[in-house]
Amino acid sequence: MIIYLAGAIRDGRLDDIEWREKVISSLASLVTIINPLGGKHFDAKNSTWTLCGRRVTAQSLVKYDFSAVNRADIVLANLTSLSERYPSIGTLIELGAAAAQGKLIYLILDNKYAGHENAMFTHHPFLQEIAADIFESVDEAIEFLKKYVPVMSGIKPRYGEFYAG
């Protein structure tokens, strides 16, 4: 199985890197993980991106990320930036592409996210519709995936088997 780690990539924000590294450390023995930050580097001084040491354009970065979404079986999207009023437009577009392809989508939306002001929904209806499940933290998503991935991949196909460890 392949998991793509979608989420905000903001200059100077270590938490955008750290959550991905935590998922990689926790799940890499069970699945292949595609990290959109893998091989990328942002040179703030020159405002340029490189991919594996080669300078790239915005268009090539988008193609790189869409290719990764296409390869994934599961898209794990960290949308905690929404509670900070950062729209993470690229992540939302990736989620649209993943949903259109019928990918299994899991979302991380912290409890600080209240949706739209005066909204009738806890989460935006589109997010609720495309998500197989919504977790309040990275840790909660990791604990679920540690149990679920062996079931989905066929390693532990029997009823109740994943509870035994």
Side-chain angles (χ1 to χ4, degrees), residues 17-156:
I17 297 167
E18 290 167 346
W19 80 267
R20 289 177 170 95
E21 293 300 321
K22 187 173 197 176
V23 171
I24 292 166
S25 295
S26 301
L27 299 176
S29 65
L30 298 172
V31 295
T32 299
I33 298 175
I34 301 175
N35 178 0
L37 288 170
K40 290 181 184 173
H41 176 74
F42 181 72
D43 178 356
K45 181 180 175 186
N46 297 310
S47 294
T48 59
W49 280 95
T50 59
L51 177 61
C52 298
R54 182 173 171 78
R55 188 173 172 170
V56 291
T57 64
Q59 291 82 4
S60 52
L61 289 175
V62 168
K63 289 186 183 303
Y64 172 87
D65 290 354
F66 275 143
S67 175
V69 170
N70 293 342
R71 289 186 53 222
D73 300 301
I74 295 172
V75 174
L76 177 61
N78 185 337
L79 297 176
T80 56
S81 66
L82 293 177
S83 64
E84 300 169 6
R85 300 257 188 237
Y86 181 79
S88 197
I89 293 168
T91 303
L92 296 174
I93 291 171
E94 289 172 342
L95 287 173
Q101 294 176 46
K103 302 288 183 180
L104 193 53
I105 298 171
Y106 292 103
L107 304 178
I108 301 165
L109 274 166
D110 61 8
N111 59 11
K112 291 182 264 179
Y113 175 71
H116 299 287
E117 291 181 27
N118 304 316
M120 65 169 97
F121 304 104
T122 302
H123 301 302
H124 193 284
F126 276 92
L127 296 179
Q128 287 180 275
E129 180 65 26
I130 66 168
D133 207 344
I134 299 174
F135 303 100
E136 289 188 9
S137 70
V138 173
D139 290 336
E140 185 183 6
I142 288 170
E143 288 311 307
F144 171 77
L145 289 168
K146 279 182 181 177
K147 294 175 184 173
Y148 184 66
V149 166
V151 172
M152 271 302 275
S153 64
I155 294 169
K156 293 190 174 190

